[in-house]
Structure formats: structure tokens, C-alpha cells
Amino acid sequence: MASIVSSLSAENELKLHGLFSSRVCFHLVYKSSHHGADIGQLLDRFDKHGKYLLMVFPSTGFVRGAFMSKSLKYEKEYSDEEAFVFQLRDTYSDRFPELNCTRAITVSVGSFSISFEKHLSLTLDQDYWYCSEVFFRGICQQKVDVQLCKDVELHRVQDLGDILPNPWREVVWHDTTRENLREDFASYKMLLESLPRVKALFLGPVGSGKSSFINSLRSTMYKRIVHLPHIGTSVEGFTQKVTTYGIRTKLRGPQSALSFCDVKAIGDDDSTGLSYTDALAVIKGHVPEGYKFQRGVRVSDAVSGYIENPTLNEQIHCVLFVLDASRVTTYPSSLQSTLKKLHSTISDMGIPQLILLTHVDQVCPVVEDDVKYVYSSRALQDKMKKAAELLGLSLSYVLPVRNYVSQLTVDCNADILLLNVVMSILQAADDTLEDKHSIPVPVTPLTPKKRCDNLDGLFD
């Protein structure tokens, strides 16, 4: 919603904040002058949960509106003890909580109207919104005629009690940070010279964002949104075969030290997705590039192109468990068991593992507006802890990201999260390989002058 600006002035927004007993923030989700005067468009902006603020801007008069703590999407009449109607004047604001709590709000889609008892009514007529209201002040009744609305807005209301006063992870959200990370990634050289490129494997359920991450990272490096044909959606997952993707340091530039292996999504059980044994075969390097997984057929040495004795370059050097932040607490127990079993076996194999937590913008509206608040959201922190517990890893192994799905331009803060992931992969692989292989410590040869300098004082 960054391109849509509310008609609410800063002064009126301050008055509006004063109507709430706790600290809140507002997120614009519908604006009639942008989305059109359509009750379907308006109702579609509600979800099953959440609190909302409906505001009308009459052609004459003051800003008026209503707060509701329930969605208006699925019912026609609502009881809402928290609902209130308000108006914002030049010098003060009024709040009218005298709603009949058993029938505070009525939605009539047939006649295209939303009513807040006797206080405020919003009606759609021939592509225009009209509002009418009766406000009471003291013992005097003040009646306002029906007015044409210049604009109608719907805002999601978030309690800032969900936002931590200080982030629990420190990140410098600046373009310089992004450029430094890009340069570090582009120039990264593996400590083990016989392994020029790390091969990281994505493992995750359908819709977790495995393929989208590759698209997003390429967008980050190319500094523009990249549209590649391997991204898509399907009930059983879009990716059905083993595909390795290299990441270039820039458009038409050299390959980086990192490549990604994408495979079929993990299902609720072995019959509906990538099986446990097939996942291990990929990790060990036995499965050839381009192999298409088939339901009920396990990878074996009978497979065409089966790699009997894979080299280090053909094996997987880091495993990324890709989990959806908006669904991580609702994954079925069968999927959770598969993930834990894989984690345990991969740990025994001595392969580093990380958790890539996607769709973080769907968990918290503040993060949806700007991902720099990713480490300030209590809700998202809870999701990250749940992801860590699900795999049996510590919280430091959980890396949140927002993939580029609907954006048309890259974003600095989203890029920083994406680049933090790839640097973590490379460093984790290097740390593990250093323990497994004898990596010689580089010795800088002394120049003749330095050799003479080192002899000074020996013959004094």
C-alpha cells in the first residue's frame, strides 16, 4: 500500500489516536478513490480476524467513521462491545459508544449499505458512496443530511502492544548495508579450493516459497524484479524435478559461490510429496540433474543417470528448511514428524541446516508495511520460535524473508533480509567444511625487505 496515501491529515490522525485507550497504528487497506466505489471491493479487504476503522470523507463537513473489532465479511448483523462511531472536528473529536451491543452493525449487500445503528450509515448508489448520520451531543440532537463522500477508507487497526520497543536482533536498515552485502556475496570465495560453489537444498511443504526465493534473490542481485518461468503454484507443488540454479553476481555477470537445488515439495506423508528416502538420496548426491520424481517410485540405482559415487561437488552442502510463517503453527502432525526425522538424519550426516521463514508479511501488518520491523514484532518472534522448535534448532538458525511476489521494484529492506540468508548459507557451509577437511592456513611470503627487517637485532 505504499503508493496509496490516506486522505486523513496528520492533525486528524493525532485526534483519532486519542480515541483509543492504548497505542495503535493504522494500515490503509481500501480507498474508494483508488479501488473504486464497490462494496465487494470493500468487504474483500476484511479477513476473518482483526480490528478495523471505516472512515468517510463527506464533500462538506468533518471526517466521520466507525471502529469495529470484528470483520464485516461473513455475516449481516454483529454484536460488538468495542464498536464506536466518531467524528473529527477542527478543534476536537467526538466518540459515540452508545451502540446497542447486540445489534451494533448491519451489513446489507443487496442494497449496498453498512449501518452502525442510528449513528452512521454508508450507502452505495450509482458508483458513489453516500453517508448519513445522527449524532447526539448532551441533550441536543444534531441531525446531518445525506452527503456525497469524496472518499471512503478502510484501515486495519493494530495494537502496538504487539511491537517491541527495541528489536531483538540488530540490523542496520540502510542502502549502504545492502550494497556491502551484495559486494560480500559477489566476492565470496570458499575456503576449500576444490569446492568453488556451495550447493544448498530447499526442503519444504507446498506453497512455502522455495522457488520464489530463487526468483527474489536474482531480483536482488540484478536490482530489478526478475520474472522466471519456473515460478508457479500447484496443489502438489510446482517443482517436480531436480533442478539446480546458479546465482550470478549481476545480470550477465559471473556465477557466485552459491547455487540452489530445488526439488519436489514435502507432503503430509511419503505418498503425497517428496519421500524421506528420496530427500536423502538428493542430499547424498545420487540423484541426477533433471530427474523427475514419480509417485510411488523411489530413487534407486536403477534410475537412469543414478550417481553411484558422487563427488563433493555433486553432494548437498547445506539444507534449507523453507517454512511458511503464516502456517507454521498449523502444519499437520505427519508433516512435522517428517521434518523432524529429516533434521535428525541430516544432523547425523554433519550437514549444516538453516530455516528459511517466508511470508513474514502475512503475520504482522506492521511488517507488511515495512520488513525492517521483522525483529520488532512479537507475533513474528513467536512464529520464529515455533519454527525453531518444530525442527529442533535454536532460534539463531531461523532466517525470516519476504519474497518478491507482487512487487514491481526491489526494496532495500527486503533485499537485506535476502542477502543475510545467502551469507549465512555460505558461512555455515565454510564452517562445516573447515571441520571436515584439512584446509591449509594461507602463508603470506615475506618480501626481501621484510626478511631483512626480521633479522634486525639478531646480531647486536
Side-chain angles (χ1 to χ4, degrees):
M1 289 294 175
S3 61
I4 309 174
V5 180
S6 174
S7 298
L8 190 68
S9 67
E11 183 180 2
N12 276 335
E13 183 175 358
L14 188 62
K15 294 175 188 173
L16 194 55
H17 279 285
L19 300 179
F20 292 85
S21 58
S22 60
R23 291 173 59 244
V24 295
C25 61
F26 311 119
H27 306 277
L28 180 62
V29 295
Y30 167 82
K31 185 176 176 69
S32 61
S33 59
H34 177 86
H35 296 101
D38 183 287
I39 198 167
Q41 280 274 4
L42 174 61
L43 293 178
D44 281 345
R45 304 294 163 169
F46 289 89
D47 57 24
K48 293 182 180 180
H49 309 286
K51 301 180 179 182
Y52 292 90
L53 200 65
L54 184 66
M55 281 191 287
V56 297
F57 298 83
S59 53
T60 59
F62 309 108
V63 179
R64 315 186 193 284
F67 166 79
M68 65 217 78
S69 65
K70 296 184 178 181
S71 168
L72 303 186
K73 191 170 184 177
Y74 301 102
E75 299 180 42
K76 292 184 178 180
E77 293 186 357
Y78 300 77
S79 60
D80 189 347
E81 295 182 357
E82 297 182 46
F84 63 85
V85 176
F86 64 88
Q87 62 180 350
L88 306 176
R89 293 175 167 271
D90 290 338
T91 57
Y92 62 91
S93 58
D94 286 326
R95 169 175 164 158
F96 303 91
E98 310 93 339
L99 298 181
N100 181 349
C101 294
T102 60
R103 191 173 176 269
I105 306 166
T106 304
V107 180
S108 178
V109 178
S111 60
F112 305 107
S113 67
I114 302 174
S115 300
F116 295 86
E117 211 191 11
K118 59 181 175 292
H119 294 293
L120 177 66
S121 179
L122 183 65
T123 305
L124 182 67
D125 184 24
Q126 296 182 353
D127 298 327
Y128 291 99
W129 283 112
Y130 293 87
C131 67
S132 59
E133 63 274 72
V134 178
F135 287 114
F136 293 84
R137 298 192 61 216
I139 60 173
C140 300
Q141 177 176 319
Q142 178 185 2
K143 185 172 182 178
V144 181
D145 294 332
V146 176
Q147 296 186 46
L148 173 67
C149 299
K150 294 185 296 182
D151 220 344
V152 173
E153 294 182 358
L154 181 69
H155 295 248
R156 176 189 279 271
V157 180
Q158 183 178 16
D159 189 342
L160 285 180
D162 293 338
I163 303 301
L164 299 168
N166 297 303
W168 56 279
R169 279 184 186 170
E170 288 294 336
V171 177
V172 179
W173 304 99
H174 194 277
D175 193 60
T176 302
T177 305
R178 174 172 61 173
E179 293 308 313
N180 288 340
L181 284 169
R182 275 199 188 116
E183 178 58 33
D184 289 344
F185 175 51
S187 61
Y188 198 95
K189 303 294 182 185
M190 297 300 296
L191 292 176
L192 190 63
E193 293 183 358
S194 60
L195 182 70
R197 188 165 296 115
V198 166
K199 193 175 181 182
L201 172 66
F202 289 123
L203 292 178
V206 173
S208 56
K210 300 185 287 91
S211 302
S212 294
F213 178 82
I214 300 169
N215 213 20
S216 300
L217 182 57
R218 284 182 169 174
S219 298
T220 296
M221 299 309 294
Y222 295 175
K223 303 181 181 181
R224 65 167 176 81
I225 297 299
V226 174
H227 301 285
L228 296 175
H230 67 270
I231 305 301
T233 56
S234 170
V235 175
E236 295 186 358
F238 185 79
T239 302
Q240 296 294 317
K241 61 182 182 180
V242 177
T243 309
T244 302
Y245 298 96
I247 303 298
R248 296 185 181 275
T249 59
K250 60 182 178 180
L251 184 63
R252 300 182 182 86
Q255 293 285 354
S256 70
L258 182 61
S259 63
F260 291 103
C261 182
D262 198 9
V263 295
K264 187 177 183 179
I266 298 174
D268 293 347
D269 53 55
D270 280 2
S271 65
T272 59
L274 182 73
S275 69
Y276 168 78
T277 55
D278 283 359
L280 294 184
V282 173
I283 293 170
K284 293 175 181 178
H286 294 304
V287 186
E289 180 73 11
Y291 172 79
K292 188 171 183 179
F293 297 99
Q294 302 175 52
R295 180 175 293 184
V297 178
R298 297 288 179 262
V299 174
S300 68
D301 55 7
V303 168
S304 176
Y306 182 85
I307 304 170
E308 185 70 37
N309 299 302
T311 65
L312 179 62
N313 287 309
E314 291 168 326
Q315 298 169 17
I316 294 299
H317 313 114
C318 183
V319 173
L320 294 174
F321 287 98
V322 188
L323 304 178
D324 184 341
S326 65
R327 300 169 57 193
V328 70
T329 57
T330 60
Y331 283 141
S333 57
S334 56
L335 175 59
Q336 294 185 39
S337 297
T338 300
L339 292 172
K340 289 178 179 178
K341 186 178 179 181
L342 281 167
H343 160 65
S344 178
T345 304
I346 296 168
S347 296
D348 291 341
M349 296 168 66
I351 297 173
Q353 304 167 68
L354 296 169
I355 299 173
L356 192 63
L357 195 65
T358 62
H359 300 136
V360 295
D361 50 321
Q362 297 181 18
V363 172
C364 175
V366 173
V367 176
E368 182 180 13
D369 284 352
D370 195 334
V371 293
K372 75 177 182 181
Y373 296 107
V374 69
Y375 297 123
S376 299
S377 168
R378 292 183 192 274
L380 192 50
Q381 186 183 38
D382 290 342
K383 299 292 185 182
M384 293 176 68
K385 288 179 179 178
K386 176 61 179 178
E389 292 170 3
L390 195 155
L391 269 300
L393 290 167
S394 67
L395 189 58
S396 62
Y397 288 76
V398 182
L399 304 171
V401 294
R402 184 181 70 183
N403 288 331
Y404 290 121
V405 178
S406 60
Q407 295 83 354
L408 297 178
T409 58
V410 294
D411 171 74
C412 176
N413 296 337
D415 283 351
I416 288 173
L417 289 180
L418 291 162
L419 290 165
N420 272 329
V421 170
V422 295
M423 292 304 297
S424 296
I425 295 170
L426 292 172
Q427 291 164 3
D430 252 344
D431 292 343
T432 303
L433 291 168
E434 185 178 20
D435 289 339
K436 284 185 174 181
H437 301 270
S438 297
I439 300 176
V441 177
V443 178
T444 305
L446 296 174
T447 62
K449 182 179 185 306
K450 288 182 178 179
R451 289 195 183 100
C452 292
D453 290 342
N454 288 343
L455 294 176
D456 289 348
L458 289 180
F459 304 103
D460 291 343

